[in-house]
Amino acid sequence: MAKSVQHKVLLVFCLSLFLTGSLFAQGVTTGAINGLVTDDKGEALVGANVIAVHEPTGTTYGTAVRNGGAFDLRNMRIGGPYSLTVSFIGYKTQKEENIHVSLAQTVRIDFKLIEE
């Protein structure tokens, strides 16, 4: 009888390990884009608009540049192509195209905007 109880305990332990591993496999399903936005003197353009468009679906992601000139677009659909547009009042808008986002990876793209 003791062996039967041991086998049941071992079976429950093994099943719990299997199920826990399956839950962790459901983790990250997205990617990200980040970078810096500065002017031609290297000064951060805080508040600049950053818009990414997933061209096949039209899904749009947006953010504003924060202190230091950095931006982050997270939880983005993997694949591409994406187009990334940066704009700021008084500066010429810039656009990067044909960007591809990989699973659990961050694509780095920096912009240097020129005054208009």
Side-chain angles (χ1 to χ4, degrees), residues 55 83-86 92-97 99 111 113:
E55 298 297 337
S83 63
L84 187 62
T85 305
V86 178
K92 186 175 179 182
T93 298
Q94 285 190 12
K95 186 174 188 177
E96 281 284 327
E97 296 180 309
I99 300 164
F111 290 89
L113 300 185

Side-chain angles (χ1 to χ4, degrees), residues 57-99:
T57 62
T59 304
T60 302
Y61 303 85
T63 191
V65 173
R66 62 183 185 276
N67 288 339
F71 72 89
D72 294 291
L73 294 167
R74 297 182 181 157
N75 299 318
M76 298 178 73
R77 175 189 297 258
I78 59 170
Y82 279 92
S83 63
L84 187 62
T85 305
V86 178
S87 61
F88 194 65
I89 295 173
Y91 290 82
K92 186 175 179 182
T93 298
Q94 285 190 12
K95 186 174 188 177
E96 281 284 327
E97 296 180 309
N98 203 27
I99 300 164

